[in-house]
Amino acid sequence: MKFKFLATLVFTGSILLGQAQVIDKIEKPIDLVSTLVGTQSTYFLSTGNTYPAIAMPWGMNFWSPQTGKMGDGWMYMYTAEKLRGFKQTHQPSPWMNDYGQFSIMPMVGKKSFDQEERASYFSHKAEVAKPHYYSVYLADYDVKTEITPTERAAYFRFTFPKTNDAYVLLDAFDKGSYVEVLPQEQRIIGYSTKNSGGVPENFKNYFVLEFDRPFANVATFADSVLTDGRYLVKADHVGALVGFQMANAGDQVLLKVASSFISKEQAALNLKELDGTTFDQRVLKGEDHWNNELKKIEIEGGSIDDMRTFYSCLYRSLLFPRMFYEIDANGQVVHYSPYNGKVLPGYMFTDTGFWDTFRSLFPFLNLMYPEISEKMQDGLANAYRESGWLPEWASPGLRSVMVGNNSASVVADAWVKGIRSKDIETLYEAVIHGANNAGPLPAVGRAGASYYTTLGYVPYDVNIHENAARTLEYAYDDFAIYQLAKSLNKSAEDMALYKQRSYNYEKLFDPATGLMRGKNKDGQFQSPFNPFKWGDAFTEGNSWHYTWSVFQDVEGLAKLMGGHQAMEIKLDSVFSLPPVFDDSYYGFPIHEIREMQVANMGQYAHGNQPIQHMIYLYNHVGAPWKAQYWVRETMKRMYSPNPDGYCGDEDNGQTSAWYVFSALGFYPVTPATDEYVLGAPLFKKATLNLSNGKKIAINAPNNSATNKYVHALKWNGKSHTKNFVKHSELLKGATLNFDMRSEPNKNRGVNKADLPFSLSKDDK
């Protein structure tokens, strides 16, 4: 995008502080969004592992320019020189890869299906990448391609040179595909079955392409063999080429595309999302849609880079989980079930991993977008009915990835935050079932459930990998169930059981090291113990990262460590230790290790999720000023609006939502409670426009890069010394006035009553 967007910004005023321009107001936040943030990634080092998703918020279908080969999870790499096509994608991350994908590519002079031969050089200088609009110049063909999406369809506009040999290729990809060209209707229909798992046997992504002009000629491919004049192909790998004659330079071909997981007829229905609009009108509608969602948070008084980072992160926070439902001919919500292969009524969402997103993405949606959260809860209930389990990683169906049973947190946090799903009794049944049973896959239900329910932990020596991480997350998930049971007024037995299990973290605390440690079945800690060893007992991290995964009872953790001062010193150590590591479990430094190593923040590995809440724990031990310092440092050093703008996997909005919350000045350390823990707001002003019509005004007029410490806070005009704010109070509307200074106030937020929620503290 470079800085083309600056011409479209409408400012109500700006001032210069040193070299940084401070922006007072922005009318169109979408102009600040770069979809290229995080795209400068590789297998060995991630700066986001994102792609420039051309999409509507939570849209069923995304589109992306494709630099990678068919089947390559890294479909778009910023450093690539050529584009192979424009891909409809449902990929949540390169590690999960894709499903139901196909691609489109305009060409001139060539009738090539080969992805190497058809690739064209391109430049970021001739590329515009926005959520609602993408354009790029394909240098080898002198063709400009433009795309603008709806939730289930997309509009393409190709601008060709004068030629009799203009072509548009549809590549339906391999693993079983079908294409039929219908010249009289100026359409191509078909399906793709290519996927990376998590689908029933009858899975298909049906597509329809509709052109605005007749075809001059038609050719189809079957397993890379070209045949002119053939209109129907079905094989492992098929596609079609339709030709056009461009009488004048600048002549255009318009293409409408839609797809469906249900049927070809439903794909045609989904194409109607584009009815009645020209390409340019659709661009404006997409811009309005995104601006309406982004303007729910209005920020003022920040540097242009900070504001670009904020809105780019907010964009990423509104992509996943994606809609997996469609609207049928009767206007009813229906979905193809990725769990049992049937077409059923009701909502369905997918493509998210709760191990990542329970931490801040879902709490963020519950605060700012409760209507979509309610639909997501209904979708989770449908997932349970159709599979017998709540997913922990869905893409699109059950996948065996990561650890924990954090669907319990996603359900409980929504209910505790006032999201009233009509299916809450089904969801309660689902979380109880998942909490006490191992599922059909290791990452469904609870691996090691029988050990956990009897011993209170998953042993190190029973061949269940990442056992300590599982134990710590299960204990927190039990707390989430306890909170849900309380809110639903369930039986005293249920409440007592899950409350008691919430303390299971204590069983893995090693007093000798002051850290969490794997424990054998006989009750002895595993030995030898290296707290810098990644993996093994932990998940994509080490003991220094996972020791803080006691979201529900930080006070209890502090007592185990010897009190508040001892825990404060332990927290300090995370940043002061060198970034040493033991990678013997993996056999090489996985990318998360490298990302910690190069960040120059000691053992703090913000590029991965387990430690992202840790900074805020200073609030629990009466040292909130240290949280303020490190939150600001992390935002400044680990994020930018550039292609290398993240410090690890962005992970479906989780790392982005961390930034959005943190820039506002608070964070959900303990989902499934009513509290957010305070940090340090980044901007001079932020206004949260809640869906109930209320507003939260966050004012910090003397905020700056140096004024990073909270000297005082007033809530609705009254002094607020607590290190937390309550969700239920925020929903009533509130004005928070922060007095920011360059020196810490070490006397604020230090009293017992000022400390955030902890189970053992609030028990009393």
Side-chain angles (χ1 to χ4, degrees), residues 69-145:
K69 294 182 180 180
M70 178 177 64
D72 186 347
W74 282 261
M75 77 174 85
Y76 180 97
M77 297 178 73
Y78 187 81
T79 53
E81 299 172 336
K82 289 186 175 183
L83 286 177
R84 304 171 191 271
F86 302 92
K87 179 181 174 186
Q88 188 192 88
T89 177
H90 305 95
Q91 178 171 298
S93 84
W95 309 108
M96 301 300 293
N97 215 301
D98 211 343
Y99 62 92
Q101 66 264 48
F102 59 92
S103 71
I104 292 164
M105 182 68 174
M107 291 177 282
V108 171
K110 288 182 182 178
K111 292 175 69 173
S112 177
F113 193 64
D114 183 87
Q115 56 186 330
E116 297 287 355
E117 290 181 5
R118 77 190 193 216
S120 170
Y121 279 97
F122 80 108
S123 168
H124 299 300
K125 298 178 181 67
E127 178 184 44
V128 177
K130 297 183 178 183
H132 70 296
Y133 172 79
Y134 179 87
S135 74
V136 70
Y137 177 68
L138 299 175
D140 288 343
Y141 302 125
D142 191 22
V143 171
K144 180 181 180 181
T145 296

Side-chain angles (χ1 to χ4, degrees), residues 99 195 197-204 261-262 322-326 334-344 346-351 379 382-384 386-389 391 393-399 441:
Y99 62 92
N195 67 83
V199 299
E201 288 186 6
N202 67 346
F203 170 80
K204 292 181 177 68
F261 298 108
I262 294 173
R322 78 169 76 250
M323 300 169 181
F324 202 78
Y325 65 87
E326 305 174 50
V334 295
H335 65 273
Y336 166 82
S337 173
Y339 302 103
N340 63 22
K342 299 177 182 178
V343 178
L344 297 165
Y347 291 106
M348 182 63 65
F349 290 80
T350 192
D351 291 328
N382 287 329
Y384 173 65
E386 294 160 25
S387 72
W389 301 89
W393 232 118
S395 181
L398 300 176
R399 301 293 290 274
L441 302 169

Side-chain angles (χ1 to χ4, degrees), residues 25 218 282 314 316 340 344 467 546 596 628 664 740:
K25 185 77 172 178
V218 172
R282 184 59 242 170
L314 183 52
R316 291 270 169 206
N340 63 22
L344 297 165
N467 39 80
Y546 251 97
M596 178 196 76
Q628 295 154 23
L664 296 174
M740 305 297 291

Side-chain angles (χ1 to χ4, degrees), residues 45-305:
L45 191 70
S46 170
T47 65
N49 267 336
T50 62
Y51 55 89
I54 311 157
M56 287 294 101
W58 308 290
M60 187 178 90
N61 300 326
F62 295 177
W63 288 85
S64 175
Q66 180 188 350
T67 64
K69 294 182 180 180
M70 178 177 64
D72 186 347
W74 282 261
M75 77 174 85
Y76 180 97
M77 297 178 73
Y78 187 81
T79 53
E81 299 172 336
K82 289 186 175 183
L83 286 177
R84 304 171 191 271
F86 302 92
K87 179 181 174 186
Q88 188 192 88
T89 177
H90 305 95
Q91 178 171 298
S93 84
W95 309 108
M96 301 300 293
N97 215 301
D98 211 343
Y99 62 92
Q101 66 264 48
F102 59 92
S103 71
I104 292 164
M105 182 68 174
M107 291 177 282
V108 171
K110 288 182 182 178
K111 292 175 69 173
S112 177
F113 193 64
D114 183 87
Q115 56 186 330
E116 297 287 355
E117 290 181 5
R118 77 190 193 216
S120 170
Y121 279 97
F122 80 108
S123 168
H124 299 300
K125 298 178 181 67
E127 178 184 44
V128 177
K130 297 183 178 183
H132 70 296
Y133 172 79
Y134 179 87
S135 74
V136 70
Y137 177 68
L138 299 175
D140 288 343
Y141 302 125
D142 191 22
V143 171
K144 180 181 180 181
T145 296
E146 301 168 273
I147 311 170
T148 188
T150 66
E151 277 138 356
R152 299 170 189 84
Y155 225 140
F156 282 74
R157 182 164 65 189
F158 306 110
T159 303
F160 284 98
K162 181 179 180 179
T163 178
N164 290 326
D165 299 309
Y167 300 99
V168 175
L169 166 73
L170 164 71
D171 186 342
F173 286 14
D174 59 2
K175 308 305 180 187
S177 47
Y178 159 80
V179 163
E180 183 176 359
V181 183
L182 306 171
Q184 306 232 334
E185 300 177 34
Q186 296 169 201
R187 284 187 171 190
I188 304 172
I189 62 172
Y191 61 73
S192 167
T193 66
K194 189 172 180 64
N195 67 83
S196 303
V199 299
E201 288 186 6
N202 67 346
F203 170 80
K204 292 181 177 68
N205 186 31
Y206 299 90
F207 50 75
V208 56
L209 285 69
E210 182 179 277
F211 294 84
D212 73 330
R213 59 171 67 206
F215 308 145
N217 51 73
V218 172
T220 54
F221 291 86
D223 297 329
S224 299
V225 176
L226 170 69
T227 305
D228 288 320
R230 182 175 58 181
Y231 295 95
L232 190 153
V233 281
K234 183 179 179 182
D236 178 68
H237 185 186
V238 304
L241 262 170
V242 291
F244 305 93
Q245 294 181 346
M246 301 289 103
N248 304 291
D251 281 357
Q252 295 176 330
V253 173
L254 291 168
L255 166 62
K256 296 178 179 179
V257 188
S259 68
S260 167
F261 298 108
I262 294 173
S263 66
K264 63 181 181 181
E265 293 80 12
Q266 183 64 45
L269 272 178
N270 293 345
L271 194 67
K272 292 182 179 295
E273 292 184 353
L274 295 169
D275 279 2
T277 57
T278 65
F279 183 92
D280 291 326
Q281 288 170 340
R282 184 59 242 170
V283 172
L284 292 175
K285 284 180 177 289
E287 180 182 88
D288 287 344
H289 189 162
W290 269 107
N291 275 325
N292 288 337
E293 299 296 355
L294 296 171
K295 287 184 78 170
K296 290 184 179 177
I297 304 180
E298 300 176 276
I299 54 173
E300 305 172 39
S303 73
I304 189 66
D305 272 2

Side-chain angles (χ1 to χ4, degrees), residues 30 167 198 290 338 353 381 412 417 472 490 530 649 676 728:
I30 197 168
Y167 300 99
W290 269 107
K417 300 281 176 60
L472 293 169
K490 292 298 180 180
N530 181 354
D649 283 341
Y676 304 100
S728 55

